[in-house]
Amino acid sequence: MGMAIQDILEVRERQATYASNIFSSRQLRENIITYQMLCDAVEASGIKIQRLSDDELLVPEKFRVGQQDIVYQLTQVQHSSQAVSSKVKHYPTREVARMLGVSHQTISRWIAQGRFDGVTRTEPGKHVDIPANAILEYPSGETVKISEVAESYQARMQTAVETESEDELQFIAQKLSAYEEKYGPIERFMHKSESGELVTSDEDIDLDVWTYLLKRKESLLG
């Protein structure tokens, strides 16, 4: 769990004590190694810091201040990680079930079995969302990241939409061809309608459908 603001402020106030506990070795070399390791850890989190130079590490007062500063920066790593975590997309269990092609009950069972890394249900029946960065371990032992599942699902849905559009376009093309074969060019048919030459209700209906199909075709083709 990330540290609260008051905890961070407390560390800021007590950093000298914390630093003395962390850099407790009487050997300068060991304390320098500890300092460098902590700097590496802070920078790996994405936080930019001003490291002490080799010469500054040999100045007791500057090294003492540097030790306190890196201890404070460690609390910022926790605070930063918490902020990043809050931005991670979360999915309701029913949506995860749909993306995986399993039942909602299966997802609940997998949560109870601890198959979603880092996802727990604190109380029976309590709602829980699954973060995109969670990793699912299938009963087979295979693992997959939920974000990858979501991307694959979206790709399948897009393919389905495109396939459906292609099928609809094919149907529309067949109907338009049939109308042209029956009535000739639509412009001529529309002229007959405007001049009152259409004599049956079926012809009026055909013109309405024909016009709609042309607009639908245009919409599908973008």
Side-chain angles (χ1 to χ4, degrees):
M1 178 182 296
M3 299 181 70
I5 296 298
Q6 57 266 31
D7 295 328
I8 294 175
L9 293 176
E10 181 182 351
V11 171
R12 191 61 163 167
E13 295 170 357
R14 300 183 57 194
Q15 59 185 257
T17 301
Y18 291 141
S20 65
N21 291 334
I22 294 175
F23 298 93
S24 58
S25 174
R26 295 178 181 274
Q27 300 296 321
L28 175 61
R29 181 173 179 276
E30 292 183 8
N31 285 334
I32 290 178
I33 292 174
T34 300
Y35 172 80
Q36 298 289 11
M37 290 176 62
L38 294 179
C39 286
D40 289 343
V42 171
E43 289 180 338
S45 72
I47 296 178
K48 295 182 179 180
I49 60 174
Q50 186 66 45
R51 290 186 185 229
L52 295 176
S53 67
D54 291 343
D55 291 337
E56 290 172 329
L57 290 171
L58 300 177
V59 179
E61 180 59 25
K62 288 188 176 181
F63 191 27
R64 182 181 65 81
V65 173
Q67 291 171 0
Q68 295 176 20
D69 184 62
I70 197 62
V71 168
Y72 174 70
Q73 294 297 340
L74 283 173
T75 66
Q76 296 304 295
V77 171
Q78 289 184 303
H79 187 58
S80 175
S81 297
Q82 184 182 29
V84 170
S85 177
S86 65
K87 297 179 182 178
V88 174
K89 183 176 178 61
H90 287 64
Y91 297 96
T93 52
R94 290 191 181 279
E95 186 172 353
V96 173
R98 183 168 61 253
M99 293 190 298
L100 289 169
V102 299
S103 68
H104 181 247
Q105 290 75 13
T106 296
I107 296 298
S108 296
R109 184 170 64 255
W110 285 351
I111 292 174
Q113 294 172 348
R115 295 194 175 280
F116 290 95
D117 183 38
V119 178
T120 58
R121 198 188 300 273
T122 55
E123 299 176 14
K126 186 175 182 180
H127 175 76
V128 60
D129 287 336
I130 299 177
N133 57 5
I135 296 177
L136 164 66
E137 180 181 355
Y138 286 101
S140 64
E142 180 184 357
T143 59
V144 64
K145 202 170 185 178
I146 296 304
S147 60
E148 296 174 356
V149 172
E151 291 174 5
S152 176
Y153 177 78
Q154 292 298 329
R156 293 199 308 272
M157 291 301 99
Q158 182 62 33
T159 299
V161 170
E162 292 173 355
T163 301
E164 183 177 337
S165 296
E166 291 174 1
D167 290 343
E168 186 176 356
L169 280 170
Q170 184 177 5
F171 169 78
I172 290 175
Q174 292 173 348
K175 293 296 291 184
L176 292 177
S177 178
Y179 281 133
E180 289 180 359
E181 184 177 347
K182 182 177 181 180
Y183 296 111
I186 189 173
E187 293 80 10
R188 184 191 306 166
F189 198 44
M190 292 179 69
H191 177 72
K192 290 178 64 177
S193 174
E194 293 169 358
S195 62
E197 295 180 36
L198 298 186
V199 295
T200 67
S201 59
D202 286 345
E203 289 178 332
D204 285 329
I205 293 174
D206 283 348
L207 180 57
D208 288 340
V209 174
W210 195 348
T211 303
Y212 165 77
L213 290 176
L214 285 171
K215 291 180 179 178
R216 179 58 179 164
K217 177 182 178 181
E218 182 179 354
S219 174
L220 290 173
L221 293 176

